[in-house]
Amino acid sequence: MKPQAQEAQEAQAAPQAQAAPQERTGEQARTAPPALVRTAAELAALTRTGRRAVVMTMGALHEGHATLIRTARRLAGPEGQVVVTVFVNPLQFGAGEDLDRYPRTLDADRAIAEREGADAVFAPATDEVYPGGEPQVRVTAGPMGELLEGATRPGHFDGMLTVVAKLLHLTAPDVALYGQKDAQQLALIRRMVRDLNFPVEIVGVPTVREDDGLALSSRNRYLAPAERTAALALSRALFAARDRLAAEHALHARAAAGGAVSGRAGALTAIGEARAAADAHAVAAAAPSPASVRAVAQGLLDEAAKAHPPVVADYVALVDPATFREAPEGFGGEAILAVAARVGTTRLIDNIPLTFGAPE
């Protein structure tokens, strides 16, 4: 497997999604539509060529999924094989969630898969994935699976990892791709693959957004026009927090540059302003604050909760991506700022990566 830093570089190098379909390159060109595969036996019978890349979806494909498939096509290469799975997994839906109304759009999904260069679409029935009913033996997400999304949706990540494990076994890919919009899901899949020695490389692909910043999601189609406008509060809160962090980094860099602070502190001390001198030293030494960055996002979502229609936040969290626990004051390195909220009856999630301290 490749190190995560290399994975990130590959993901960042992936072509960015555009509003209109892109023309396929020579390595994406196909002479026939992708095969529709319904059973594990049919999947096993597929002629395998080169490197196999798999994109797992629950269908209702949009430009975010298209970006995943395009990236898979590039990583598989012209001699490789791209398989897209389409399966609405009942194990990851809790009581009162939208399993029954989750969109099923297989014909449109196949058209997108064909456009982006997939070789096969694996769309099994529920009893093909879970013969004999719900499995008695499942993958458990562990402590990370009890945080954030796991706390709001108990059992969700156990169901997700169980189906991902099954689909990894059935499709046997060399590389599997997942979107960074579902950051906790991606982190747990990477952890499962590492802890249980799955022979597959996991690649995360950056979140794809509409021009106004809204993260693409299959659930966006549930939003009424006024709700969609209100939903922009999620991305605005994230971007405002990112700007706050950038401003704190800039202030810290200016304060610490070239001994300016030491000179100012010395001058202040000479005129008896010892407290002001100490403050000047503190500004130079202080690292950007996770608490202040988190507070910016929380404040904007608090305001959005008073609007009509309201945006009701489930959580605003700034976490260490290795554990998904809150980043403490003095934290340095990569972090994820994640939010979840309800707009009307629709629950949305979003996140952005942040870096505390100078990137290496």
Side-chain angles (χ1 to χ4, degrees), residues 76-101:
E79 303 303 321
Q81 187 178 64
V82 174
V83 177
V84 177
T85 71
V86 176
F87 179 65
V88 181
N89 176 34
L91 296 191
Q92 65 194 72
F93 287 80
E97 293 188 336
D98 55 355
L99 173 61
D100 291 337
R101 71 169 184 150

Side-chain angles (χ1 to χ4, degrees), residues 234-248 289-290 292-298 300 316 318 337 339 352 354 356:
L234 276 74
S235 57
R236 287 172 181 161
L238 294 175
F239 298 156
R242 180 187 62 193
D243 292 346
R244 173 58 180 264
L245 177 60
E248 290 194 5
S289 166
S292 66
V293 171
R294 189 185 299 112
V296 168
Q298 184 69 64
L300 286 178
V316 176
L318 182 63
L337 180 61
V339 297
I352 56 171
L354 299 174
F356 284 78

Side-chain angles (χ1 to χ4, degrees), residues 214-228:
L214 185 68
L216 291 181
S217 169
S218 300
R219 290 188 169 94
N220 289 352
R221 68 186 65 199
Y222 300 152
L223 298 169
E227 291 172 340
R228 192 200 174 286

Side-chain angles (χ1 to χ4, degrees), residues 191-312:
R191 187 79 196 197
M192 177 183 74
V193 164
R194 183 168 61 251
D195 286 355
L196 301 184
N197 298 103
F198 279 71
V200 61
E201 175 189 349
I202 302 299
V203 171
V205 177
T207 301
V208 179
R209 298 181 182 277
E210 299 281 5
D211 290 341
D212 58 8
L214 185 68
L216 291 181
S217 169
S218 300
R219 290 188 169 94
N220 289 352
R221 68 186 65 199
Y222 300 152
L223 298 169
E227 291 172 340
R228 192 200 174 286
T229 299
L232 294 174
L234 276 74
S235 57
R236 287 172 181 161
L238 294 175
F239 298 156
R242 180 187 62 193
D243 292 346
R244 173 58 180 264
L245 177 60
E248 290 194 5
H249 274 134
L251 178 63
H252 178 65
R254 285 198 303 270
V261 169
S262 295
R264 181 169 183 265
L268 288 167
T269 301
I271 62 173
E273 294 288 344
R275 180 170 181 178
D279 288 346
H281 280 299
V283 168
S289 166
S292 66
V293 171
R294 189 185 299 112
V296 168
Q298 184 69 64
L300 286 178
L301 287 175
D302 288 346
E303 287 299 315
K306 304 172 186 175
H308 298 284
V311 177
V312 182

